[in-house]
Amino acid sequence: MAPHMYLEEAENIGSTSSDRKYPRHANGHSLHANHMTPSSNHHEPLFHRHVKNPILTAADWPYPINTVFNAGATVLQDGRTLLLCRIEDRRGHSHLCAARSKNGIDGWEIDPAPTMMPDPDNFPEELWGIEDPRITYMPDLGKYAIVYTAFSAGGPCVSLALTTDFTSFERVGDIMPPEDKDAALLPRKIGDYWALFHRPVGMAGAHIWISFSPDLRHWGSHKLVLEARRGAWWDAGKIGLSPPPIETPRGWLCLYHGVRRTAAGSLYRLGMALFDLHKPEECILRGTSWIFGPEEPYERYGDVDNVVFPCGYTVRPDGDTLYLYYGGADTCVALATASIRKLLEWLDANGKPAAKTIE
């Protein structure tokens, strides 16, 4: 992409637009990306919503659907951004469909039919759909790994498929039993083993674990790496990995969602943690507060209100600008941008070593 196009994108981030899809506040202030709400405490936000949000809705789809949300993301060899979107059909079952864009913002070319459908005849764990993909490119394999949730009769479980072209898929099948979800692979081996972050649910609650495998099929050495807090914390109740971990020189930067149950329902917001680059089972820092939460109408109102839920990101050619793709209210796909450097600086100032026991 030419340098002037990056400038145009930068000017669009947070700018006001006359063709916004959503109204103004009663006080006349526009609901645009940099509008400061009371919840932001008038500090510069870490994430900036794109002025064209939501970037994908059901109205964009070439066939009838209920909603589009929770998209995995990657940059293809030709430089295009691919979003592998969760599509909920009008039965309530989900499948995956790819959308491609030259700039990762607009001009999306959407597959005319579902890209990856559930296959319950051969993979019975996919009986009620496949959901929430996370994409990791695996250089050693020359393939993209798609870790997704299979909605089985026994509950959600973690499944894996490999692809080179997002047209044909080599399904590995379920690699973690129910109830488990919110999983993503690291892009390279740690020693001799692949590493998987995931969120099983058990008697002790819903926390983030890591597991290791020599072949992507047989998993062991399970370790609890980040616990949901208790009580009044924003991430009390349950937590889960959001997009795949981001590799930085300082470690694996993880954006995770925390779910706080309130009298009005659940709130899904994002926090951060940093894990050791060579020992990803060791948490170095964990942020104390949430950094991104539902504020705009497309995040606060939808099939599930008050949800921001990222499953994918891309890093721009400068190596620092993060494009975060997230589901808004389980109804649309939206985009926010951030600086990886500033995220790490915030974590240094607002994080602390993760507690070994539940806080």
Side-chain angles (χ1 to χ4, degrees):
M1 187 180 295
H4 71 275
M5 294 186 71
Y6 292 119
L7 177 61
E8 290 172 0
E9 289 179 27
E11 290 172 345
N12 279 332
I13 301 293
S15 63
T16 315
S17 173
S18 61
D19 61 353
R20 287 280 297 166
K21 300 183 179 71
Y22 293 92
R24 294 174 178 266
H25 282 303
N27 62 13
H29 293 298
S30 174
L31 288 169
H32 65 84
N34 279 343
H35 178 70
M36 303 303 292
T37 67
S39 62
S40 61
N41 297 322
H42 301 286
H43 294 299
E44 177 67 18
L46 289 171
F47 288 92
H48 298 267
R49 293 166 172 85
H50 200 278
V51 67
K52 293 188 177 181
N53 277 350
I55 59 171
L56 287 170
T57 70
D60 298 310
W61 240 250
Y63 54 90
I65 66 172
N66 179 46
T67 50
V68 50
F69 55 114
N70 298 4
T74 193
V75 176
L76 301 172
Q77 298 296 321
D78 62 8
R80 290 183 299 167
T81 296
L82 178 139
L83 296 185
L84 191 60
C85 304
R86 174 180 173 181
I87 304 298
E88 184 179 291
D89 65 26
R90 295 181 179 181
R91 301 173 303 163
H93 295 201
S94 292
H95 62 266
L96 308 181
C97 187
R100 298 167 178 84
S101 165
K102 291 181 179 179
N103 62 10
I105 300 168
D106 55 18
W108 295 97
E109 298 176 2
I110 301 169
D111 283 356
T115 306
M116 185 174 171
M117 286 290 288
D119 182 11
D121 290 340
N122 295 301
F123 299 91
E125 67 274 8
E126 298 181 359
L127 176 65
W128 291 325
I130 54 178
E131 309 172 351
D132 301 354
R134 276 85 167 179
I135 302 170
T136 302
Y137 181 69
M138 317 287 273
D140 290 349
L141 300 179
K143 297 178 180 179
Y144 300 91
I146 305 165
V147 183
Y148 59 96
T149 300
F151 193 175
S152 73
C157 61
V158 176
S159 289
L160 170 65
L162 303 172
T163 186
T164 58
D165 56 10
F166 291 93
T167 300
S168 59
F169 301 91
E170 173 193 346
R171 271 177 165 91
V172 175
D174 55 324
I175 57 175
M176 290 290 166
E179 180 175 340
D180 204 335
K181 61 192 312 186
D182 299 331
L185 285 160
L186 296 186
R188 55 180 174 79
K189 287 184 176 180
I190 304 299
D192 295 327
Y193 298 92
W194 301 105
L196 179 83
F197 281 85
H198 57 115
R199 203 283 305 281
V201 176
M203 294 286 290
H207 315 294
I208 298 176
W209 290 63
I210 194 170
S211 299
F212 297 90
S213 170
D215 59 4
L216 295 176
R217 287 163 172 78
H218 304 92
W219 295 87
S221 299
H222 313 293
K223 296 180 177 67
L224 176 62
V225 295
L226 203 69
E227 296 181 73
R229 294 178 172 112
R230 288 179 173 171
W233 285 89
W234 72 271
D235 54 358
K238 64 179 179 178
I239 60 173
L241 186 71
S242 285
I246 303 163
E247 186 171 5
T248 78
R250 293 187 49 195
W252 299 101
L253 181 62
C254 287
L255 300 175
Y256 72 93
H257 59 269
V259 185
R260 184 180 185 184
R261 296 179 178 88
T262 74
S266 295
L267 278 169
Y268 280 74
R269 295 176 291 203
L270 295 186
M272 278 193 297
L274 186 68
F275 293 86
D276 188 274
L277 197 61
H278 305 292
K279 297 180 179 179
E281 66 272 20
E282 295 183 5
C283 183
I284 301 170
L285 286 172
R286 181 182 190 176
T288 53
S289 61
W290 58 271
I291 57 172
F292 188 64
E295 296 178 358
E296 295 286 342
Y298 54 84
E299 301 160 351
R300 292 184 60 85
Y301 309 109
D303 276 9
V304 182
D305 293 348
N306 294 315
V307 175
V308 291
F309 198 93
C311 284
Y313 71 86
T314 63
V315 179
R316 305 304 292 172
D318 63 7
D320 180 63
T321 302
L322 185 74
Y323 274 22
L324 185 71
Y325 296 94
Y326 64 97
D330 280 15
T331 303
C332 63
V333 176
L335 168 64
T337 65
S339 160
I340 295 173
R341 174 181 53 82
K342 289 182 178 180
L343 293 178
L344 289 169
E345 289 174 355
W346 182 93
L347 197 53
D348 284 334
N350 298 277
K352 63 179 183 177
K356 297 300 181 183
T357 56
I358 297 175
E359 297 180 75

